[in-house]
Amino acid sequence: MDVLGRYRNLIVLVGVLFAQVLGLAVQVRRPTDNEPTRLIRIWAVDMVTPLEKALGWAQTSSNNIWHNYFYLRGVRAENRSLKAQIERMSLEQVRMSQDADQARRLQALLAFKEQFISQTMAAQVIGTSGSEQSRSVYIDKGEVDGLKPDTAVITANGVVGKVLLVYRSTSLVLLISDHSSGVGALLEKSRIEGIVRGTPAGEVMLEKVMSDESVSVGEQVLTSGGDGIFPKGLLVGTVTKVTPGSELFLNIHLRPAADLSKLEEVLVVTKIDQRQAAPDKTGAARAADILAERLPTVPSKPENAEKGPAPETATPKTAIPKTVAPANSGLDAKPKAAHSDALTSSGAPATRKPVTSASSPVNSSGNPSGAPSAAKPAASGIDATKLSKPVKATTEPKPQPAVEDIPH
Amino acid sequence: MAITYTSGEQVEVYRFSIPATVLIPLTAIFLQAWLPLRFPFFTLFDLPLLVTIGFATARRNPLAGLVTGGLIGILQDALTHQAIGLYGISLTVVGFGASSLGIKLDVENGGARFLLTIFFYAVHEVVYFMIARGLVGSHMAWSWPHEVLSGVSNALLGVLVFMLLDRVKQRT
């Protein structure tokens, strides 16, 4: 008893430490994803996150009041420069849609399935984990908003991380700079695959690239889609340094595309769809089709004309629309409007940048009113030199493929 | 009046009111989680650790020190994605050690507090590193420049935190 009283503090200390080590051991032995969240986590998060949300709301409100009512200096000049920027980006979008069309046609030839982000949810970053050993942030969306673990989180600039834990109204997002994260990635030009991991110091590295591979500084790194969380083609970062590493691999340092130290709003990818890549049949006709229509054909019998021709004999179908082109112009307007809706909501090809709303990837060009009709001849520049206006008419009466492009 | 190690006078023991005992650690944990969002460099500091040291050295009660440190550490763990207990164990050790040392040493002046904070920051990092690498198997890298910078930064901030705690502590 005398010993117990004399060493009481030390005994209590050992007991408390032992209990905590036991608790730690229990957790480490059961690292399953389906394990229910610990109550202590829920309590701690519920204590801290409401105040974080309130502060975030207060800051946003005060920023809005300041910018919308007080800080109006330079708004007109900024408006002008933004309009000019929009015009430049529209032209660039036309060019990029042509590249997307070509890529889609090639994909269709090889029977690839393309993955695209069909739905995202915006979320505000309200807090961090507060520890350098756990590089993660809290967002203000949770189970009530339909979020689930292992969901990709991105910004307009690039990949941010994935949802790790989902609480009732908040979620914990593990950043790509955390040492326990991993993203399947590939180099843009060389298509060499690797794994993007964080380091304990918070840097982002591309690992598992053999030392005999050639990697250049400045090359961009995209998601490969191999991890099943991030769709293929999202921008992860840029190579900043390449040094020989231990064993047989290179040490490739990356600069993340998204600024992980200044996150305010992020997008959670809530739905990824897959579909067979189809060429844009509302775009300019292929040269083969156009030449085929100019070749002399044997007039077909009525019963044969009713039957659908084989795909390679598309000539009769393409010939028919000449007589109904005016009537179909209205139909043509609908798919084009659908395309323009998809464009204005997406803004960029999904293969390079994340789309920000429920829309399919860019598959035609232009702004709502006149640009599509102006772009299509430009898109088929070579064909345009050989063709006259009936080319457009031949493409008009094919609304069915355009239905696929209508965003859901 | 605070005394030195060789003095025979009795040390003063302080206490904190219940609202201060609850709100100050919670505020520290909240600020530790929220401030890095606006000031990324703030991850260098460890407010919960400073509050643990401040409470322990004021109370000079090893039992209270280890319990306070353990609770603050567990709450800090709960906000991370790692196993609960890493910060809990390290802050339990810090709370016990700081309160035990507070009985023996004069911790009322700024210089002593600066050195005390550096010492217990090092203890905290060593214990955390050992638990994370040894028990959990986590990949952690030890960087001496980073640890020195962080230790000095926390010690400087600690002096300010202790001055704030001096305003709310009560003599027993």
Side-chain angles (χ1 to χ4, degrees):
Chain A
M1 289 300 293
D2 188 32
V3 173
L4 284 177
R6 197 174 174 185
Y7 297 105
R8 181 188 61 167
N9 293 341
L10 208 55
I11 290 170
V12 171
L13 173 68
V14 170
V16 169
L17 289 178
F18 183 70
Q20 292 191 62
V21 169
L22 272 184
L24 207 60
V26 168
Q27 292 172 78
V28 171
R29 278 184 188 174
R30 292 189 216 167
T32 58
D33 291 338
N34 294 330
E35 188 180 356
T37 309
R38 307 261 175 214
L39 280 176
I40 186 65
R41 285 195 199 274
I42 295 172
W43 293 339
V45 170
D46 284 344
M47 268 192 298
V48 174
T49 51
L51 191 54
E52 289 174 339
K53 281 186 183 178
L55 279 171
W57 174 84
Q59 186 177 6
T60 306
S61 303
S62 57
N63 278 343
N64 286 341
I65 292 171
W66 172 256
H67 286 290
N68 292 338
Y69 293 102
F70 297 105
Y71 191 71
L72 295 178
R73 200 186 317 161
V75 167
R76 190 170 296 173
E78 188 182 3
N79 192 26
R80 276 198 296 270
S81 71
L82 287 174
K83 281 183 178 176
Q85 191 179 1
I86 288 171
E87 287 171 10
R88 282 194 304 272
M89 290 173 73
S90 299
L91 291 173
E92 191 178 341
Q93 193 177 35
V94 167
R95 182 186 62 78
M96 291 168 86
S97 70
Q98 298 167 14
D99 294 339
D101 288 344
Q102 185 183 22
R104 199 163 295 104
R105 283 194 293 273
L106 293 172
Q107 281 183 344
L109 288 173
L110 294 172
F112 279 171
K113 280 188 181 177
E114 63 177 2
Q115 230 180 18
F116 64 96
I117 297 170
S118 63
Q119 196 173 20
T120 59
M121 180 189 301
Q124 191 174 8
V125 177
I126 58 173
T128 68
S129 64
S131 168
E132 284 185 318
Q133 314 306 332
S134 169
R135 296 184 189 270
S136 51
V137 296
Y138 282 90
I139 59 176
D140 63 350
K141 294 288 190 293
E143 194 177 0
V144 296
D145 303 293
L147 289 196
K148 292 176 184 173
D150 289 336
T151 306
V153 179
I154 60 177
T155 65
N157 295 323
V159 170
V160 169
K162 69 171 185 179
V163 175
L164 193 66
L165 294 171
V166 178
Y167 302 98
R168 199 179 64 87
S169 60
T170 58
S171 299
L172 181 68
V173 174
L174 186 68
L175 302 179
I176 58 172
S177 56
D178 188 83
H179 60 88
S180 60
S181 76
V183 180
L186 55 85
L187 290 159
E188 181 191 14
K189 291 177 185 171
S190 57
R191 314 306 286 182
I192 299 168
E193 293 201 359
I195 300 174
V196 171
R197 285 195 189 278
T199 66
E203 296 174 327
V204 179
M205 308 266 296
L206 180 63
E207 296 181 349
K208 308 300 180 190
V209 176
M210 301 298 290
S211 56
D212 56 353
E213 301 283 2
S214 172
V215 179
S216 53
V217 172
E219 192 169 357
Q220 291 191 329
V221 177
L222 310 175
T223 52
S224 65
D227 52 23
I229 295 175
F230 296 94
K232 185 176 181 178
L234 299 179
L235 183 62
V236 179
T238 308
V239 177
T240 56
K241 190 167 77 169
V242 182
T243 54
S246 59
E247 300 174 0
L248 302 172
F249 301 112
L250 291 173
N251 280 342
I252 303 172
H253 297 254
L254 304 182
R255 183 179 64 247
D259 190 348
L260 302 178
S261 62
K262 292 179 185 176
L263 291 172
E264 292 185 2
E265 284 191 352
V266 296
L267 294 169
V268 183
V269 178
T270 50
K271 194 176 177 187
I272 298 174
D273 283 338
Q274 271 189 344
R275 68 173 184 192
Q276 190 74 32
D280 179 15
K281 295 186 182 170
T282 60
R286 297 177 302 165
D289 294 335
I290 295 160
L291 290 174
E293 89 173 352
R294 292 186 167 213
L295 291 173
T297 56
V298 176
S300 56
K301 294 180 183 178
E303 61 270 17
N304 289 337
E306 288 175 1
K307 290 180 186 176
E312 63 271 11
T313 59
T315 308
K317 274 194 176 179
T318 57
I320 292 171
K322 286 182 187 177
T323 61
V324 295
N328 286 336
S329 61
L331 285 174
D332 180 76
K334 284 183 185 177
K336 285 186 180 178
H339 282 296
S340 63
D341 288 341
L343 282 171
T344 53
S345 59
S346 66
T351 54
R352 293 299 174 87
K353 298 275 184 179
V355 295
T356 58
S357 64
S359 64
S360 58
V362 173
N363 50 20
S364 71
S365 62
N367 294 324
S369 52
S373 57
K376 286 191 180 355
S380 58
I382 296 174
D383 296 333
T385 58
K386 300 178 186 175
L387 306 170
S388 57
K389 288 184 179 180
V391 172
K392 291 185 195 175
T394 63
T395 64
E396 287 169 0
K398 291 185 179 178
Q400 290 82 5
V403 172
E404 297 173 357
D405 302 323
I406 295 174
H408 299 288
Chain B
M1 187 178 73
I3 57 168
T4 61
Y5 180 76
T6 56
S7 172
E9 295 182 23
Q10 194 172 6
V11 295
E12 283 193 351
V13 178
Y14 297 93
R15 57 182 285 273
F16 294 88
S17 63
I18 292 177
T21 303
V22 173
L23 290 177
I24 291 175
L26 287 180
T27 304
I29 290 170
F30 166 75
L31 289 175
Q32 186 67 34
W34 185 74
L35 283 175
L37 210 57
R38 305 288 176 251
F39 309 104
F41 66 87
F42 202 83
T43 52
L44 203 64
F45 299 105
D46 194 338
L47 275 179
L49 169 68
L50 300 177
V51 166
T52 301
I53 296 172
F55 272 39
T57 52
R59 288 175 176 151
R60 293 184 168 96
N61 182 336
L63 277 180
L66 71 92
V67 169
T68 303
L71 287 175
I72 293 175
I74 285 174
L75 281 177
Q76 199 176 356
D77 279 320
L79 288 180
T80 68
H81 72 282
Q82 295 177 329
I84 293 177
L86 291 171
Y87 279 110
I89 292 173
S90 57
L91 286 187
T92 299
V93 173
V94 166
F96 180 83
S99 54
S100 300
L101 212 58
I103 298 173
K104 309 286 186 186
L105 297 178
D106 172 19
V107 291
E108 296 299 321
N109 67 75
R113 287 173 170 177
F114 181 87
L115 294 173
L116 191 79
T117 308
I118 285 184
F119 173 73
F120 281 110
Y121 176 81
V123 168
H124 165 74
E125 289 294 292
V126 167
V127 172
Y128 188 95
F129 188 80
M130 284 167 49
I131 299 294
R133 287 282 291 260
L135 285 183
V136 180
S138 174
H139 296 286
M140 278 192 63
W142 184 272
S143 167
W144 280 109
H146 174 79
E147 296 299 333
V148 168
L149 176 65
S150 186
V152 171
S153 306
N154 277 283
L156 289 171
L157 183 63
V159 173
L160 296 174
V161 169
F162 297 156
M163 285 168 59
L164 290 174
L165 290 179
D166 288 342
R167 294 178 179 270
V168 295
K169 66 185 181 184
Q170 304 160 353
R171 287 182 186 169
T172 55

